[in-house]
Amino acid sequence: MHNLKEIRKNTDLFEKKIKERNSTIDLKSLIKHDKENRELIQKKEKLEQQKKTISQKKDKTQFKLSKEISLEIDKLNKEQGELKKEIELILSSLPNLALDDVPVGKDEKANKEISKFGEIKKFEFKPLSHDQIGIKLEQMDFNIASKTSGARFVFLKNNLALLERVISNFMLDMHTQKFGYNEISPPLIVNDNTMFGTGQLPKFENDQFEIKLEDESSRKFLIPTAEVILTNMVRESFLNEKDLPLRLVASTACFRKEAGSYGKDTKGMIRQHQFYKVELVSIVEPKNCNSELDRMLNCATSILKKLSIPFQTILLSTGDMGFSAEKTLDIEVWIPSENKYREISSCSSCGTFQARRMSAKYKKQNKSEFLVTLNGSGLATGRLMISLIENYQNSDGSITIPENLRVYMNNLEKI
């Protein structure tokens, strides 16, 4: 959420920056509504003062006029209420502004490669896809999932089910024991205010799984990512400077309709309605925003380095970033069967954008300031599993377990 006063003061800058985010929202209507709203406030204040003067005089001949003024004030209140709704709707639909070092572009074509890690393995056989391997092992079943739940779901069995759990545990141990994140086991259901706080509502309502309840006044949603619930832990709060930085991690199921990806990545586990992810969230002071983003990226990539999986880091363009982000670095892992890299994590700085929506502040030298929020996958469990299966596959259809995971897998060397 942006400060309306800042938009009023720097309209040209905001128009330029919003346009760079591929947003079609016209700020002129926002400025127009804002001006009309302030004019209504002035009219109302004059009428209220006039009514107060009449009341103080206690002149019965002015009672009729006082009643007419009251009706006019009620009318202005109604008009102002409608205007404020329009203003809030436009404000809540404006994306965050990109930082100056973010490449300007319409889509992923303008993204910038930052670095690469690891050597891509040369197989002496044609590598199979993760789903081909899983089905041959009879430990990955999409047919049963289709019968019980529909498309974009999977049953994992036996050692592949264990591997999924192990990957999450390994990442949680790394982030808590090595990097000092506080582990959280959060609710998977949130209300609409929580979804608004991190930017999922109102703009991306069609992507969310809403739970239908008898009480229609209370809207509830399944979380699309643990970022939503972890970040909102500081909503409507007033932290002390000494409480910062706050670093949180959770491994949860995530639920997404994938409404805008019909027919895309329908095979295998690449894009599912339900998946698991280890999520990192940081709450810091504004001055530490950039260094915290670098730190978070390092925490996420350390997982891949420990498992010797090739990856690349990409700086996203203004047109490819998420709604709430001011800067995003994607981590992409190598997928042999596709002969390309695939996103496994997005590490984003959101500045004060989400904190304003959540009313999350902290106290510094007797002053209150908005907090800064950051989030990143550390990592997406399913996609890490896909990459492990494919990069560690053998010609006989088995999967070698990376050494750093074997202690978690009861010293199993192969699946």
Side-chain angles (χ1 to χ4, degrees):
M1 184 79 85
H2 297 293
N3 187 330
L4 186 52
K5 289 180 181 178
E6 287 297 316
I7 295 176
R8 198 185 299 147
K9 260 186 357 183
N10 303 291
T11 306
D12 290 344
L13 174 64
F14 270 85
E15 282 186 334
K16 175 179 175 291
K17 287 284 192 179
I18 295 295
K19 190 176 179 182
E20 288 175 354
R21 293 302 312 272
N22 282 354
S23 174
T24 57
I25 295 172
D26 183 12
L27 282 186
K28 289 182 175 62
S29 57
L30 175 63
I31 298 301
K32 179 174 172 285
H33 289 327
D34 176 47
K35 184 182 177 184
E36 290 170 352
N37 182 52
R38 285 182 288 128
E39 286 172 354
L40 286 178
I41 291 170
Q42 289 177 351
K43 283 182 185 178
K44 194 169 68 171
E45 285 175 349
K46 284 181 182 178
L47 288 172
E48 285 170 344
Q49 185 58 47
Q50 191 177 347
K51 184 181 175 183
K52 185 179 179 182
T53 302
I54 291 171
S55 177
Q56 287 172 343
K57 288 181 179 179
K58 296 181 181 178
D59 184 349
K60 290 182 180 181
T61 62
Q62 298 290 304
F63 281 1
K64 185 181 177 184
L65 177 59
S66 178
K67 191 173 181 180
E68 289 172 354
I69 291 171
S70 293
L71 290 172
E72 184 63 23
I73 289 171
D74 289 343
K75 182 184 172 185
L76 291 175
N77 277 331
K78 190 176 179 182
E79 285 181 40
Q80 193 187 4
E82 292 301 316
L83 267 176
K84 285 174 82 174
K85 282 181 185 177
E86 287 293 324
I87 290 168
E88 287 298 316
L89 181 61
I90 296 172
L91 271 179
S92 64
S93 300
L94 290 174
N96 202 352
L97 305 187
L99 296 180
D100 291 339
D101 62 341
V102 173
V104 176
K106 290 183 179 180
D107 50 34
E108 68 277 0
K109 292 175 183 176
N111 293 349
K112 181 182 176 184
E113 183 185 307
I114 301 300
S115 63
K116 271 187 166 68
F117 170 87
E119 288 187 20
I120 293 170
K121 183 178 179 180
K122 292 181 180 178
F123 291 91
E124 294 179 356
F125 57 93
K126 186 181 178 181
L128 300 178
S129 66
H130 67 280
D131 51 305
Q132 289 174 317
I133 297 167
I135 291 167
K136 280 190 173 185
L137 289 169
E138 297 183 349
Q139 297 185 37
M140 191 179 288
D141 200 319
F142 297 94
N143 290 329
I144 296 177
S146 180
K147 293 173 187 175
T148 60
S149 307
R152 297 185 190 267
F153 292 94
V154 67
F155 275 86
L156 296 179
K157 304 174 184 178
N158 304 323
N159 283 327
L160 283 189
L162 173 61
L163 180 61
E164 181 181 55
R165 172 160 57 91
V166 158
I167 288 170
S168 290
N169 288 344
F170 172 72
M171 291 191 287
L172 283 173
D173 285 350
M174 282 277 288
H175 293 311
T176 55
Q177 296 170 21
K178 184 173 180 180
F179 300 121
Y181 283 85
N182 298 305
E183 185 175 352
I184 306 293
S185 178
L188 303 184
I189 297 173
V190 294
N191 58 34
D192 50 358
N193 287 332
T194 299
M195 294 285 275
F196 176 86
T198 42
Q200 277 70 33
L201 295 182
K203 191 172 176 64
F204 304 102
E205 184 171 337
N206 289 337
D207 288 328
Q208 314 308 327
F209 278 110
E210 182 172 1
I211 301 170
K212 296 297 181 185
L213 301 171
E214 290 182 15
D215 178 9
E216 293 183 1
S217 64
S218 176
R219 299 183 72 191
K220 295 288 195 295
F221 298 84
L222 293 172
I223 60 168
T225 165
E227 170 208 341
V228 174
I229 189 72
L230 294 181
T231 307
N232 273 277
M233 286 176 71
V234 296
R235 73 174 291 109
E236 296 171 11
S237 64
F238 197 54
L239 304 183
N240 289 312
E241 187 181 2
K242 65 178 177 61
D243 298 324
L244 303 174
L246 188 60
R247 297 185 178 113
L248 310 169
V249 62
S251 176
T252 68
C254 305
F255 306 89
R256 293 181 192 172
K257 283 186 181 177
E258 299 289 359
S261 60
Y262 180 76
K264 186 178 180 182
D265 298 327
T266 53
K267 280 195 70 184
M269 291 173 56
I270 287 286
R271 196 180 297 273
Q272 298 200 297
H273 291 311
Q274 176 187 312
F275 56 96
Y276 292 88
K277 186 153 68 83
V278 171
E279 186 72 8
L280 307 173
V281 164
S282 293
I283 314 292
V284 301
E285 293 183 70
K287 68 177 184 180
N288 296 326
C289 191
N290 289 334
S291 60
E292 188 66 21
L293 182 59
D294 290 340
R295 183 186 190 278
M296 181 177 283
L297 183 72
N298 178 63
C299 294
T301 56
S302 291
I303 301 292
L304 296 173
K305 289 177 180 178
K306 280 279 186 183
L307 299 174
S308 300
I309 295 177
F311 68 89
Q312 64 180 11
T313 306
I314 304 292
L315 176 60
L316 299 194
S317 71
T318 54
D320 201 29
M321 285 197 305
F323 177 78
S324 297
E326 62 179 11
K327 182 178 180 178
T328 297
L329 289 153
D330 267 11
I331 305 165
E332 298 178 346
V333 290
W334 182 252
I335 306 296
S337 68
E338 298 185 351
N339 199 38
K340 68 178 182 181
Y341 291 95
R342 281 277 196 171
E343 179 206 333
I344 195 171
S345 171
S346 287
C347 293
S348 299
S349 164
C350 298
T352 59
F353 185 81
Q354 292 178 329
R356 288 181 184 277
R357 295 170 80 97
M358 297 184 300
S359 188
K361 297 182 178 182
Y362 77 106
K363 187 177 181 181
K364 182 177 182 179
Q365 296 175 349
N366 297 320
K367 284 185 179 180
S368 67
E369 293 185 31
F370 282 105
L371 293 161
V372 159
T373 64
L374 302 97
N375 64 80
S377 303
L379 303 155
T381 308
R383 291 205 174 183
L384 180 53
M385 188 171 180
I386 289 167
S387 185
L388 277 175
I389 290 171
E390 295 203 13
N391 281 286
Y392 281 89
Q393 65 179 290
N394 302 303
S395 58
D396 62 358
S398 65
I399 307 159
T400 299
I401 305 299
E403 286 188 20
N404 285 316
L405 292 184
R406 289 177 189 175
V407 66
Y408 292 84
M409 294 283 293
N410 303 316
N411 295 316
L412 187 69
E413 294 184 7
K414 283 185 181 181
I415 294 176

